[in-house]
């Protein structure tokens, strides 16, 4: 591993300044992704700015908004009574991620910023436009079983790996950011990016910007929710396909639906058309099948991942059925 220095600022401003002044500096929170990347030689920051002393550990519900500080721990958030009561989809998604040990270290901000698990990105002997722009994409003509079926480009077909973020996308969260020019709020749908011609950029965070928290507005999705994760092993594996499904059902009518897929695109993949199709309909398996077809109309597959289309369709039907409890 390369030499690096380590600082643990006591103020947000000092943390932001330390990153802004130094191109090779990186924030570190739980370290569960960043340290792996450093050990594998994917990244070599010369300075680590530890943000764990900043007062960003709040979990509070006020004015009908849940606020999660950036350094709240995944396992704490998943188990918090406010989250379990008002945002059970988030709790389910968090518990589907990684392992208990990892969830005890991983933070809300770090989870959002974790990098793809594409094996070509991790293997520094292989070309990867995300790791080293301009070198090509090993996955496009390689083993692409885990890769994208939506929104890929001819530069990159990697997928976003987080479970938590799929629930946050479905729940219309907002990312709260502080930076050298002040604060701003980023709707979750605009936080992560598609690869296009700049696959090295996973998200729209600017230079020196620090995620300070995430907000989720209160919603009616407290009962009919289900996070389904399909993976190669029952734990400690990333999603081949995951579905965050939330329904607001009154009598025999769906008043509102929220659906997002994980493991299929460079960002959490919200299924707006399928949500619209379900609104006002009865929560029946037939309608869920139509929604699944609508949801996958724009899928484009590669040599080894065509199975993800029927897998996504079946997962959507199952997640919606479990959410509706039919
Ligand atoms: C074996 C293994 C299995 C896993 N399985 C899963 C899984 O199934 N599902 C899943 O979702 N995840 C999984 N993970 C990933 C895990 O969830 C992430 O590693 C974790 O969430 C990252 O959080 P962290 O706080 O440790 O981030 P760090 O490693 O500390 O940081 C990650 C990145 O975020 C940046 N960063 C951190 N905090 C901030 C902030 N506040 N503002 C701006 N930038 C910030 C850092 O600079 C770094 O670039 C797995 C990880 C491992 C090692």
């Amino acid at each position: 591993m390369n030499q690096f220095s380590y600082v643990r600022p006591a103020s947000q401003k000092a943390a932001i300044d330390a990153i802004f002044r130094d191109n090779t500096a990186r924030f570190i929170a739980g370290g569960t992704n960043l340290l792996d990347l450093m050990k594998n030689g994917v990244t070599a920051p010369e300075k680590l700015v530890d943000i764990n002393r900043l007062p960003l550990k709040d979990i509070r519900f006020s004015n009908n908004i849940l606020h999660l500080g950036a350094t709240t721990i995944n396992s704490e958030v998943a188990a918090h009574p406010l989250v379990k009561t008002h945002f059970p989809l988030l709790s389910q998604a968090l518990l589907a991620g990684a392992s208990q040990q990892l969830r005890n270290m991983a933070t809300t901000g770090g989870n959002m910023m974790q990098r793809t698990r594409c094996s070509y990105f991790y293997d520094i002997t292989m070309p990867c436009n995300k790791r080293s722009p301009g070198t090509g994409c090993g996955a496009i003509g390689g083993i692409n079983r885990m890769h994208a079926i939506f929104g890929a480009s001819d530069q990159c077909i990697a997928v976003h790996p987080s479970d938590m973020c799929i629930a946050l996308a479905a729940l219309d969260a907002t990312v709260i950011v502080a930076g050298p020019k002040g604060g701003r709020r980023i709707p979750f749908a605009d936080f992560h990016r598609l690869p296009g011609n700049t696959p090295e950029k996973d998200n729209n965070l600017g230079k020196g910007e620090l995620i300070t928290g995430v907000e989720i507005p209160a919603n009616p999705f407290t009962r009919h929710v289900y996070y389904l994760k399909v993976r190669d092993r029952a734990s400690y594996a990333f999603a081949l396909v995951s579905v965050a499904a939330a329904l607001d059902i009154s009598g025999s009518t769906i008043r509102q639906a929220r659906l997002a897929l994980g493991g299929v695109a460079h960002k959490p993949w919200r299924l707006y058309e399928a949500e619209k199709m379900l609104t006002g309909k009865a929560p029946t398996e037939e309608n869920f099948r139509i929604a699944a077809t609508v949801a996958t109309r724009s899928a484009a597959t590669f040599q080894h991942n065509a199975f993800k289309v029927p897998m996504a369709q079946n997962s959507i039907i199952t997640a919606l059925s479990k959410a509706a409890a039919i």
Side-chain angles (χ1 to χ4, degrees):
M1 199 191 276
N2 293 343
Q3 295 274 329
F4 58 88
S5 63
Y6 171 85
V7 293
R8 198 159 48 173
S11 77
Q12 208 164 279
K13 184 177 179 314
I16 291 166
D17 281 353
I19 293 286
F20 189 63
R21 274 189 274 108
D22 185 344
N23 271 337
T24 72
R26 293 283 176 276
F27 294 123
I28 184 164
T32 60
N33 187 219
L34 184 57
L35 294 180
D36 274 356
L37 294 167
M38 290 167 69
K39 286 186 222 167
N40 281 290
V42 177
T43 186
E46 287 172 16
K47 184 190 279 180
L48 294 185
V49 180
D50 186 336
I51 57 172
N52 287 295
R53 277 207 186 149
L54 304 182
L56 302 174
K57 294 199 185 294
D58 261 31
I59 301 178
R60 62 172 194 277
F61 190 55
S62 53
N63 299 323
N64 271 335
I65 290 175
L66 178 76
H67 179 92
L68 301 174
T71 56
T72 49
I73 301 297
N74 285 179
S75 53
E76 244 177 65
V77 175
H80 198 285
L82 282 172
V83 178
K84 284 169 76 175
T85 307
H86 298 285
F87 305 92
L89 185 65
L90 175 60
S91 184
Q92 290 181 20
L94 279 162
L95 292 174
S99 64
Q100 183 65 42
Q101 292 92 330
L102 283 156
R103 293 193 295 268
N104 286 344
M105 290 301 293
T107 63
T108 300
N111 193 315
M112 287 167 46
M113 295 291 289
Q114 63 173 296
R115 307 220 62 193
T116 183
R117 307 308 284 205
C118 173
S119 54
Y120 296 92
F121 174 74
Y122 267 80
D123 183 346
I124 59 171
T125 65
M126 297 300 291
C128 173
N129 287 322
K130 182 178 275 301
R131 175 174 25 81
S132 308
T135 57
C137 173
I140 287 175
I143 307 293
N144 42 43
R145 178 174 174 274
M146 298 294 290
H147 291 74
I149 56 170
F150 296 108
S153 75
D154 60 2
Q155 302 273 309
C156 179
I157 63 171
V159 297
H160 173 77
S162 165
D163 290 294
M164 178 192 82
C165 291
I166 310 309
L168 290 180
L171 295 173
D172 277 340
T174 299
V175 185
I176 316 297
V177 167
K181 294 182 194 148
R184 64 185 180 115
R185 302 166 61 84
I186 309 175
F188 207 79
D190 300 332
F191 184 77
H192 295 101
R193 298 164 59 104
L194 290 179
N197 291 326
T198 51
E200 69 278 12
K201 292 185 181 166
D202 295 341
N203 56 62
N204 287 314
L205 215 56
K207 184 169 155 57
E209 284 190 320
L210 171 76
I211 298 167
T212 59
V214 175
E215 288 182 356
I216 316 174
N219 60 57
F221 307 113
T222 50
R223 183 161 161 234
H224 295 293
V225 300
Y226 200 80
Y227 186 77
L228 176 69
K229 181 173 178 181
V230 183
R231 48 188 152 175
D232 287 326
R233 291 185 306 271
S235 86
Y236 212 54
F238 289 87
L240 286 163
V241 168
S242 68
V243 186
L247 296 171
D248 174 16
I249 299 174
S250 170
S252 57
T253 305
I254 299 170
R255 279 202 291 219
Q256 267 191 81
R258 299 279 180 80
L259 272 176
L261 291 180
V264 296
H266 199 259
K267 61 187 284 186
W269 196 251
R270 186 82 181 260
L271 302 171
Y272 295 106
E273 273 187 65
E275 290 175 6
K276 207 164 134 199
M277 177 262 135
L278 286 168
T279 306
K281 304 275 180 8
T284 60
E285 190 175 326
E286 194 193 336
N287 282 329
F288 296 160
R289 272 185 199 287
I290 298 170
T293 306
V294 169
T296 49
R297 269 200 300 236
S298 64
T301 62
F302 295 88
Q303 193 182 354
H304 302 111
N305 71 353
F307 73 92
K308 280 195 178 186
V309 177
M311 181 179 275
Q313 291 173 336
N314 291 331
S315 302
I316 291 167
I317 297 164
T318 305
L320 285 169
S321 302
K322 296 253 189 200
I326 60 168

